[in-house]
Amino acid sequence: MIAIIMIISVVLAVMLGGILLQRCKYLRLSQLLEESHRRNIEAGKREHIYKRLLPNKLFELFQQGEPENLKIGEVKSLKTTVLSYNVSGFAGKVRQQSSKEIFSFVNNILRLVVPCILYQEGEIDEYVDAGLSAFFLNAPERALQSAISVCEALNQAGIREPYSIGLTYGDVIVGMVGHEKRFGILTISDTTGLAEFLRELAVRYRARILITGSFKKQIPDFDKYYNSRYLGDIYLKAAGCTEALYDVYDGDVPADKNGKRKTRLLFENGVDLFHNKNFHDARLHFIEVLKANRMDGAAKEYLFLCNRYIATEDSGKGMPSYLEVY
């Protein structure tokens, strides 16, 4: 009897030990699964942060399946649209405000601008002052719609600081540079520099959006869907040729938009006369434009040039007929 009881005790002990072992294995497996799930969540959060910090579409040009395959020295050449946006007079604002006020101002502006870029699938390349530069891969019209949306958002918000946008289309070279411990993307292009140049010009000519003729040609039926006026030509030193310049006024405040719409033909006729070096008649056209729209910055610039050229010994015959040099 005692022997039977001992055997039963041993069997029960073995069975209990097995149950406890299985229980321990189950707990350990649960812990491993929970830990793996936590790591996946953290990895997902990190990936989400990386995507918010990095120009992912540009990185994807170099990825061969996984980000780990990125290599320094890889170079890609592509056709793309470049958008350059900024608020003018930012340097003066920096000197007048505290650091907290400056960053509050910048973020309040970008809070309105960035969604307009991302909604049209633009890729933000970098932030500069209170502005940014962005690429639109194979999507010139999306870039223009984004620019107009930026103007509308800032106008609606009552932003008083003068801001402007330059849009260009052309070749951009993108390459991976740096060191294996710290590398990134470098973009090299006259297209980018020209977009920034147009953005700076826009303030002087009281324009919100300036585009090149090359960019305009990328959008089918441009004149059917968008309001613009031919502003003149700029001379591109690197290319040794001129490039047409257009003021797209769809994003202007109503007063400026209406003024440009009413005087468009008169203004463009004046530009044609200026190009033909008929500065006297061109001057009269720009005076009439300013009578109808005294805030027309481009007409003021042309009137200044006409007066200056007419005052020369040869009445400006030896002067260039383009507006600017880049």
Side-chain angles (χ1 to χ4, degrees), residues 200-226:
E200 293 170 356
L201 282 184
V203 178
R204 188 193 313 169
Y205 294 108
R206 198 176 172 82
R208 293 299 191 198
I209 304 170
L210 287 189
I211 66 172
T212 60
S214 299
F215 174 85
K216 181 184 176 183
K217 291 176 182 177
Q218 301 305 312
I219 301 178
D221 298 321
F222 178 93
D223 292 321
K224 181 178 178 181
Y225 297 106
Y226 300 99

Side-chain angles (χ1 to χ4, degrees), residues 28-29 37 57 89 93 101 107 111 120 139 155 163 170 174 184 194 221 226 241 245 247 253:
R28 178 57 179 161
L29 180 60
H37 181 63
K57 289 182 181 177
K93 185 173 289 292
E101 289 172 329
N107 287 320
R111 177 176 54 83
Q120 295 294 344
N155 292 344
Y163 61 88
V174 185
L194 182 56
D221 298 321
Y226 300 99
C241 64
L245 194 61
D247 171 7
V253 295

Side-chain angles (χ1 to χ4, degrees), residues 169-189:
Y169 177 85
D171 295 314
V172 174
I173 299 173
V174 185
M176 300 298 301
V177 297
H179 185 272
E180 60 182 10
K181 292 185 177 180
R182 177 67 173 86
F183 60 91
I185 286 182
L186 175 66
T187 57
I188 301 174
S189 171

Side-chain angles (χ1 to χ4, degrees), residues 86-103:
N86 213 332
V87 173
S88 65
F90 183 77
K93 185 173 289 292
V94 168
R95 289 192 291 268
Q96 296 170 5
Q97 296 184 338
S98 68
S99 56
K100 185 176 181 180
E101 289 172 329
I102 292 166
F103 279 93

Side-chain angles (χ1 to χ4, degrees), residues 228-231 246 263-273 285-286 289:
S228 70
R229 62 178 183 169
Y230 173 53
L231 205 61
Y246 292 86
T263 59
R264 175 186 171 185
L265 292 178
L266 185 63
F267 177 86
E268 291 184 336
N269 287 337
V271 173
D272 288 338
L273 289 167
H285 276 68
F286 295 124
V289 170

